[in-house]
């Protein structure tokens, strides 16, 4: 499918759960729920001993395609921490793997691609994603919808730029040198690649939405490596294709990246209802940059979960107070939970946020 050809719009399924009392969904709509909702990126995973026990001997991507396992892992932090939303246990490379791309998650490294994609022939050779290739993920979503009660479920996908950066670099990169070089030296190749990845992300999100997720988050984790000019030229149209493509479902759309303080306005223009903010700028400043009216998510520095409780408590209180400048605020970290965090600290943070 051409990168400029929109995928057909799809109506929201009529059987979606009604969760009028969920603080997370109320805040995402720009309302003021009785308490500030809180969830954590990477809340399901390495910080939990029950997760490590369940995953022992099971490769990461195998777990992502096992409906019962991914459902149980997703539920673990909801039970332990009483967070206001669950996020589907998955990975941004799951749809690439499902489509047939030779990619794996290497412990201690991250996603690694067997053959980097750096020319038009390699782009043209990329497979498309069919919904039935992620049917097991959708099955896991359906299990979660049955088991979560009144807790909303967030589905997610990786944004085209971040997915492309892994494919082009061959794995994680500090400088994204091959990605930026391709963007500028072969823009036609870049847009072909980003367009194909937008289609893959959109197919993946629609599969989750059709199965019943209550919100979605588009992770453009490494977009902060770009200038605003480059973001608007090379990235925004493709992220907009993804976010616009799920608009008909009527669920909150969260857009998040790391180091994106200079890109917040452009990222909202891509179609975000909720703008994720990392820890580098205060939430009230983020709202100011967004024109004084915005729904934001964030933004405790994950490293401070290792600090003493008085230090951490002061930071949580500051962030909740700064979040009051927004039309709606969802408390979260400025990135994901680090693997060595004491889970009892996360539980304590949830309790504090709910009290404030």
């Amino acid at each position: 499918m051409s990168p400029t050809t929109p995928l057909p719009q799809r109506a929201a399924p009529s059987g979606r759960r009604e969760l009028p009392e969920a603080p997370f969904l109320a805040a995402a709509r720009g309302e003021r729920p009785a308490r500030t909702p809180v969830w954590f990126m990477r809340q399901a995973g390495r910080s939990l001993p029950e997760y490590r026990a369940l995953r022992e001997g099971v490769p990461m991507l195998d777990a992502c395609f096992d409906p019962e396992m991914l459902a149980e892992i997703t539920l673990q932090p909801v039970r332990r921490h009483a967070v206001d939303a669950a996020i589907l246990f998955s990975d941004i490379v799951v749809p690439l793997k499902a489509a047939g791309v030779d990619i794996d998650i290497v412990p201690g490294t991250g996603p690694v691609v067997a053959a980097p994609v750096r020319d038009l022939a390699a782009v043209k050779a990329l497979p498309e994603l069919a919904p039935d290739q992620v049917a097991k993920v959708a099955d896991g979503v359906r299990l979660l919808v049955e088991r979560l009660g009144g807790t909303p479920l967030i589905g997610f996908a990786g944004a085209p730029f971040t997915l492309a950066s892994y494919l082009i670099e061959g794995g994680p990169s500090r400088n994204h040198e091959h990605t930026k070089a391709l963007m500028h030296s072969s823009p036609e190749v870049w847009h072909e690649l980003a367009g194909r990845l937008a289609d893959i992300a959109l197919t993946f999100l629609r599969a989750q939405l059709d199965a019943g997720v209550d919100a979605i988050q588009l992770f453009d984790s490494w977009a902060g490596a770009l200038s605003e000019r480059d973001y608007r030229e090379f990235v925004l149209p493709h992220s907009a294709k993804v976010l616009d493509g799920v608009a008909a479902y009527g669920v909150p759309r969260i857009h998040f990246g790391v180091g994106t303080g200079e890109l917040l306005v452009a990222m909202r223009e891509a179609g975000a209802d909720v703008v994720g903010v990392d820890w580098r700028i205060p939430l009230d400043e983020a709202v100011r940059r967004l024109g004084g009216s915005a729904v934001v998510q964030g933004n405790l520095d994950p490293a401070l979960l290792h600090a003493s409780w008085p230090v951490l408590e002061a930071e949580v209180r500051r962030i909740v107070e700064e979040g009051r400048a927004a039309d709606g605020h969802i408390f979260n970290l400025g990135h994901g939970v680090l693997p060595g965090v004491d889970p009892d600290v996360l539980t304590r943070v949830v309790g504090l946020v709910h009290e404030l």
Side-chain angles (χ1 to χ4, degrees):
M1 184 171 291
S2 164
T4 59
T5 303
L7 292 175
Q9 287 290 335
R10 186 174 305 178
S14 58
R16 187 172 304 285
R17 294 190 296 170
E18 295 290 336
L19 300 173
E21 304 302 317
F24 165 79
L25 294 174
R29 293 191 297 264
E31 300 170 6
R32 299 273 183 182
R35 67 173 188 253
T36 300
V38 53
W39 69 278
F40 305 108
M41 289 180 278
R42 293 192 191 138
Q43 65 188 15
R46 298 167 295 179
S47 67
L48 299 183
E50 56 266 43
Y51 166 83
R52 294 193 295 271
L54 184 62
R55 270 278 322 279
E56 187 174 1
V58 180
M60 171 69 178
L61 289 176
D62 288 0
C64 293
F65 286 98
D66 182 322
E68 280 288 348
M69 184 173 287
L70 74 85
E72 171 59 23
I73 293 170
T74 302
L75 285 163
Q76 287 175 347
V78 178
R79 297 192 196 106
R80 179 185 274 264
H81 304 311
V83 286
D84 294 290
I87 185 163
L88 182 69
F89 176 74
S90 188
D91 190 90
I92 63 170
V93 303
V94 161
L96 297 177
K97 182 72 171 181
V101 176
D102 191 351
I103 188 168
D104 198 10
I105 299 175
V106 177
T109 300
V112 175
V113 181
V117 176
R118 295 177 183 170
D119 57 35
L120 187 58
V123 172
K124 295 283 191 183
L126 284 174
E128 295 182 356
L129 178 69
D132 63 354
Q133 292 173 306
V134 288
K136 290 183 178 179
V137 177
D139 288 343
V141 170
R142 281 185 278 269
L143 292 175
L144 283 161
V145 169
E146 294 172 2
R147 298 172 186 177
L148 275 167
T151 302
L153 175 62
I154 305 167
F156 75 89
F161 171 77
T162 292
L163 292 179
S165 72
Y166 283 118
L167 291 178
I168 296 168
E169 302 294 338
S173 173
R174 183 179 298 274
N175 299 310
H176 306 279
E177 57 266 36
H178 296 293
T179 305
K180 292 181 179 182
L182 180 67
M183 275 180 168
H184 287 273
S185 61
S186 301
E188 69 288 350
V189 176
W190 166 261
H191 286 295
E192 179 75 22
L193 173 60
R196 286 170 177 259
L197 294 173
D199 289 343
I200 287 173
L202 185 48
T203 297
F204 189 44
L205 286 175
R206 285 177 172 172
Q208 296 171 57
L209 286 158
D210 288 339
V213 299
D214 305 292
I216 62 98
Q217 177 156 314
L218 189 65
F219 282 89
D220 211 350
S221 304
W222 311 133
L226 300 172
S227 68
E228 183 183 4
R229 179 181 61 191
D230 284 354
Y231 179 88
R232 287 184 176 278
E233 179 178 353
F234 295 110
V235 177
L236 191 155
H238 304 288
S239 292
K241 181 178 182 179
V242 179
L243 292 167
D244 291 348
V246 297
Y249 287 88
V251 306
R253 298 165 296 172
I254 309 166
H255 200 10
F256 170 77
V258 180
T260 52
E262 301 302 321
L263 305 179
L264 296 178
V265 172
M267 291 180 74
R268 181 167 66 175
E269 289 175 9
D273 303 304
V274 181
V275 180
V277 183
D278 83 350
W279 67 92
R280 291 171 175 84
I281 63 171
L283 290 180
D284 51 0
E285 169 62 15
V287 172
R288 186 194 68 77
R289 294 185 185 192
L290 289 162
S293 179
V295 178
V296 296
Q297 179 176 278
N299 67 340
L300 178 68
D301 186 340
L304 293 182
L305 293 170
H306 291 275
S308 67
W309 177 251
V311 169
L312 182 54
E313 179 182 5
E315 285 296 295
V316 171
R317 289 180 179 275
R318 175 185 63 81
I319 289 164
V320 170
E321 185 58 34
E322 290 169 352
R324 300 191 197 283
D327 297 329
H329 173 215
I330 300 163
F331 190 97
N332 207 309
L333 304 179
H335 200 196
V337 176
L338 297 170
V341 167
D342 180 350
D344 290 342
V345 173
L346 290 171
T347 305
R348 196 172 180 184
V349 168
V350 173
L352 176 58
V353 173
H354 285 167
E355 291 171 5
L356 297 176

